[in-house]
Each structure stands twice: as structure tokens, then as C-alpha cells.
Amino acid sequence: IADAAPHVSMYLDAGHGGWLGWDNVGKDYMRLVCELGLMQHLRGFSTNVANYDPTGTVACPAEAFEGSETVGHYCNWVQPNHPCCLADPCERIKEYNSGPTEIVFAQTLAKHASEICGGYRPHFIIDTGRNGREEARTADCKAW
């Protein structure tokens, strides 16, 4: 595709925080993207496509991504009352998932991309077509 349409911006589907929000899973995904050499053809990633995860309204601060820090640890031990930690309708943070909302999930994937793919800084598109009702996930977070 990149050769046939070199001026097209391509985004690769990256699931959503409920699937790839655990840091080991998100890192494995990003490692595969890098090993396949895809990042040179991608503008970034799309998340939450055909899913209902909340977008969120607050990003986590930079300190939640510094060094070996993860959102799961940051929100459980460092700043559990930070607004980015409180928007978690599926209660993923207590399971150390770093993707409680799609905004925070994108931040997490960006950290993995930079660390694993040699400084790669992807853009993100978050599909909000099915998550307009904030409480859509509170009834049954296991129903994807």
C-alpha cells in the first residue's frame, strides 16, 4: 500500500485498552510492529474501533510514564486520586492495566512505541462512534 499510495496516511488498528492495556501485552504488540518494520509506513494507530471504551477527558501526567513507571503502578501507588486514575469504569487499574480510558491507553502505547521502536512518535485516532454514553461500559465490562 505504501508503495502504491505513498502520500496516504495509514493508521494500524491497536484494539483498545481492555485488550492491549496490560503493559506486557502492549509491549508485545509494539515489538511486533517494530520487528515487521511497519512504523516507517504508519502515521500512527487507531484505537477503540467498533468498541465502547470510554474516551476519557484527562491525560495522565508525564511522571506516570517516566522510566519504568506504568499507569497501573502510578494509579495504584503514586497518585491514586489523580483525575486520570479516577475515570476507570471497568476498574482495570486495580488489575494494573494501563488503559483505563482510550486517552490514557494512547499515552501508554506512545511510551511503548518510543521505547521499543527507537523513538517512534505515532499519532492516534480514537473511535468515539460507540462510546457516547459514558455509562455504556458500567453494566458489563466483559461484554466486548
Side-chain angles (χ1 to χ4, degrees), residues 76-108:
N76 276 297
W77 296 100
V78 181
Q79 290 290 336
N81 292 319
H82 189 282
C84 78
C85 303
L86 299 176
D88 185 18
C90 292
E91 299 181 342
R92 292 181 190 144
I93 289 172
K94 67 181 178 183
E95 297 177 10
Y96 290 85
N97 180 302
S98 292
T101 66
E102 291 303 299
I103 288 174
V104 176
F105 175 53
Q107 288 181 284
T108 298

Side-chain angles (χ1 to χ4, degrees), residues 2-22:
D3 292 338
H7 301 292
V8 170
S9 294
M10 290 193 292
Y11 290 81
L12 183 63
D13 189 341
H16 61 79
W19 289 343
L20 298 179
W22 283 272

